[in-house]
Amino acid sequence: MKSTRNTKTNELIKYAVIAGDFIILNLLFAAAFWFHKKYIGERVPYEKFDEFILVINFAMAVSQIRFATVMHERRAAADRIIKQAASLVALYAVLSYAMAKPFIYTGAYGSFLLVFSLLLFVVLVLVRLAERMLLKRFRRMGRNTRSALLIGSDPAILDIYKALVSDPSTGYTVKGYLAEEPAEGFPEELRYLGTYTNLEQQAAKLNIRKKNRPDEIYCCLPRSRSKQIRNVANYCDSNIIRFYYVPVSLERIGMRLEPETVGDHLIFTNHQEPLALPSNRLIKRLFDVVFSILMLCVCIPLFPIIALIIKLQSPHGPILFRQLRTGVNGKSFYCYKFRSMHPNTQANTLQATRDDPRKFPFGSFMRKTNIDELPQFYNVLINQMSVVGPRPHMLHHTQVYRQLIDQYMVRHFVKPGITGWAQVTGFRGETPELWQMQGRVERDIWYIENWTLWLDVRIVWLTFKQAFIHDKNAY
């Protein structure tokens, strides 16, 4: 059956990637061991190479049991793949050092293993990204596909359809949908297959049993039809089909709700923030401090040059621009930037525009490359800002937009950032239209509800890319 073939193909992909990991491990270790012996020559027992090979392969085998690749999973995003690779290498490094310790008589192997593990991580990430590109191309060719059948005519089922087929690299095909009658507004390519009243008979009629049956069924019926929902679920269980229930639009009440518990009772909240956990706040704060110190150490030698150019092009006014902005929990703070405009009376009310006459030439360059934001690493060190988070707005804009946009103030549940998810996904710069600010707020809230350390790393990387690849919204 097709679902069995798909499962086997996914398993084959998984084990092929794991096999590749072992090949990379052994080749890289042999090369690193040879290089260390030839050019560094610290006291590492080189005669025990065979023992080391056994140790590193056993350590990798144990690590793969805990942190095997998720490459084969259709919804595995790049940040999750990289996070899994980092966890794999970290566990491997600890295990290989602990198991090799009896063979080591100096501390040289520890430093060698640390450098090798970092090298292994970099190589694995590059290989993972290449493998991901190949797998996407493989699925775009119609291989390793997974089919779905939709039940219901609510707009929510149309959202599921768009999510499944929007990215061909996930390998989903949708057979069509079953409903009491054809739905208005559904695309022609989403075929109406008939009613769901008697799913067994309908499945036989449509020949979707046996080899042509779907791998997954998404059911979007109101809870008042619980009997029909249970019938669909029972049909899926009997035919080894994955069952997913999709709440109808009215029952979703237009907002995302996450489960929590109060005693033995299940309740739902409209905002669930990972940064509400003290452990996550500590991780984010450590990242902020370490990254800010590194950035300041690298950039501080450039500050006198930047200051000199600012003074040459705009002699009147300070080098640093200080402005009150809205921070975490709605509290205001002074945000620092390199001044990119001539002194003016509209600085606290008017956003910068593309051909803003207030900007001087080097100021425009700083804004396009984010150089003007560098002093905000001081704001990060004194715990007023984070490296990544919703961009802080001037107080005037906070007062205006909180009246115009629902949930606008939700973005202040966390510390503002030097860069953010909205800025790297097309909502950077001026917001002359209300929908642009709404889009920024939606992305800020998504970031708050989906924060991970790896998401922060990804946003920082995308921000660095924007410094070299011009962003049309950067001015």
Side-chain angles (χ1 to χ4, degrees):
M1 292 181 291
K2 182 164 65 62
S3 59
T4 303
R5 291 200 303 270
N6 286 333
T7 301
K8 290 181 178 179
T9 304
N10 281 347
E11 289 295 306
L12 181 61
I13 292 170
K14 175 182 177 181
Y15 290 118
V17 172
I18 293 175
D21 289 352
F22 278 95
I23 294 173
I24 292 169
L25 172 71
N26 285 274
L27 291 178
L28 198 62
F29 188 85
F33 208 82
W34 173 84
F35 180 86
H36 192 278
K37 180 179 180 180
K38 186 172 179 64
Y39 295 103
I40 300 178
E42 295 181 26
R43 287 193 302 154
V44 170
Y46 300 111
E47 70 279 0
K48 295 184 179 292
F49 177 77
D50 293 340
E51 287 90 334
F52 281 133
I53 287 293
L54 289 174
V55 165
I56 65 170
N57 279 276
F58 183 77
M60 178 57 75
V62 175
S63 302
Q64 289 282 0
I65 294 174
R66 178 63 182 85
F67 294 110
T69 179
V70 293
M71 181 72 61
H72 58 291
E73 296 181 10
R74 297 175 189 275
R75 300 183 181 93
D79 58 335
R80 185 182 170 207
I81 293 172
I82 295 173
K83 179 180 179 181
Q84 197 79 353
S87 301
L88 175 73
V89 173
L91 182 58
Y92 153 80
V94 172
L95 292 177
S96 59
Y97 180 78
M99 289 187 289
K101 184 66 174 175
F103 304 121
I104 307 304
Y105 304 99
T106 70
Y109 179 66
S111 58
F112 168 78
L113 178 63
L114 177 62
V115 174
F116 172 74
S117 297
L118 293 174
L119 178 63
L120 177 63
F121 170 68
V122 172
V123 173
L124 281 184
V125 167
L126 294 176
V127 171
R128 287 284 193 274
L129 296 178
E131 291 168 341
R132 188 167 182 258
M133 291 176 62
L134 291 174
L135 183 56
K136 283 189 171 186
R137 181 170 297 183
F138 181 66
R139 285 172 174 163
R140 284 194 182 101
M141 295 168 58
R143 310 296 297 274
N144 188 227
T145 58
R146 195 165 182 84
S147 64
L149 176 67
L150 311 179
I151 296 179
S153 57
D154 189 85
I157 206 69
L158 184 58
D159 293 339
I160 296 297
Y161 169 73
K162 292 176 181 178
L164 292 176
V165 303
S166 60
D167 184 1
S169 65
T170 59
Y172 273 100
T173 59
V174 177
K175 292 180 173 293
Y177 72 101
L178 302 173
E180 291 181 340
E181 58 185 19
E184 295 183 6
F186 276 29
E188 293 183 3
E189 58 269 22
L190 179 55
R191 294 190 302 135
Y192 174 67
L193 302 177
T195 180
Y196 58 84
T197 304
N198 191 323
L199 194 55
E200 286 282 357
Q201 293 180 3
Q202 194 67 25
K205 177 182 175 182
L206 295 170
N207 193 25
I208 59 174
R209 304 182 68 171
K210 301 181 181 178
K211 68 177 183 178
N212 290 318
R213 75 185 186 194
D215 301 301
E216 300 173 359
I217 287 183
Y218 294 81
C219 179
C220 183
L221 299 175
R223 285 183 293 174
S224 59
R225 300 187 181 180
S226 58
K227 181 178 180 181
Q228 288 91 335
I229 296 172
R230 285 196 299 270
N231 289 339
V232 174
N234 292 336
Y235 170 80
C236 291
D237 292 342
S238 300
N239 292 276
I240 320 176
I241 298 172
R242 294 285 183 182
F243 170 80
Y244 297 97
Y245 177 71
V246 182
V248 301
S249 299
L250 290 176
E251 291 177 350
R252 291 190 301 175
I253 62 174
M255 66 175 68
R256 175 179 173 178
L257 298 176
E258 298 290 345
E260 289 187 3
T261 57
V262 175
D264 296 328
H265 300 282
L266 182 66
I267 61 174
F268 293 85
T269 178
N270 61 336
H271 297 291
Q272 189 175 58
E273 310 119 61
L275 289 172
L277 296 175
S279 57
N280 286 341
R281 290 200 300 272
L282 176 61
I283 292 171
K284 186 170 177 64
R285 181 60 184 157
L286 289 174
F287 173 79
D288 286 343
V289 171
V290 172
F291 188 82
S292 297
I293 291 174
L294 290 175
M295 286 297 297
L296 288 173
C297 289
V298 172
C299 297
I300 278 180
L302 301 175
F303 285 8
I305 301 173
I306 295 171
L308 178 61
I309 298 175
I310 291 173
K311 276 299 184 182
L312 288 174
Q313 293 194 359
S314 181
H316 303 292
I319 293 169
L320 290 178
F321 174 69
R322 190 180 76 152
Q323 185 181 61
L324 275 174
R325 298 200 176 185
T326 309
V328 62
N329 296 324
K331 297 179 181 178
S332 58
F333 71 101
Y334 280 104
C335 179
Y336 295 92
K337 300 177 68 172
F338 281 121
R339 183 169 58 87
S340 59
M341 294 183 176
H342 299 296
N344 63 92
T345 59
Q346 297 176 305
N348 293 321
T349 57
L350 185 64
Q351 288 181 323
T353 57
R354 184 176 298 277
D355 299 312
D356 201 315
R358 298 174 296 167
K359 294 185 292 185
F360 51 88
F362 185 64
S364 295
F365 172 76
M366 287 195 296
R367 296 178 74 93
K368 289 178 181 179
T369 56
N370 297 313
I371 291 175
D372 63 321
E373 312 285 1
L374 291 177
Q376 288 168 32
F377 284 110
Y378 170 73
N379 288 113
V380 174
L381 287 178
I382 62 175
N383 207 24
Q384 293 175 331
M385 293 181 64
S386 181
V387 174
V388 180
R391 282 295 295 157
H393 292 165
M394 60 183 75
L395 302 187
H396 171 71
H397 282 169
T398 299
Q399 295 303 317
V400 171
Y401 286 117
R402 72 184 301 174
Q403 305 296 328
L404 299 176
I405 300 175
D406 290 340
Q407 299 185 320
Y408 175 83
M409 296 303 290
V410 172
R411 64 196 305 277
H412 301 107
F413 282 171
V414 299
K415 283 181 289 188
I418 298 175
T419 184
W421 182 240
Q423 282 63 47
V424 299
T425 53
F427 284 83
R428 177 185 178 187
E430 185 186 13
T431 54
E433 308 253 351
L434 185 61
W435 67 265
Q436 293 170 309
M437 183 59 79
Q438 288 173 328
R440 180 183 292 184
V441 171
E442 288 173 1
R443 282 158 177 77
D444 288 338
I445 294 175
W446 182 90
Y447 168 80
I448 293 171
E449 295 178 341
N450 294 274
W451 175 87
T452 65
L453 178 61
W454 296 102
L455 179 59
D456 276 5
V457 172
R458 180 183 177 190
I459 292 171
V460 169
W461 164 244
L462 291 174
T463 303
F464 275 116
K465 282 180 62 178
Q466 286 182 349
F468 300 99
I469 302 174
H470 179 60
D471 183 350
K472 65 180 181 179
N473 295 320
Y475 48 81

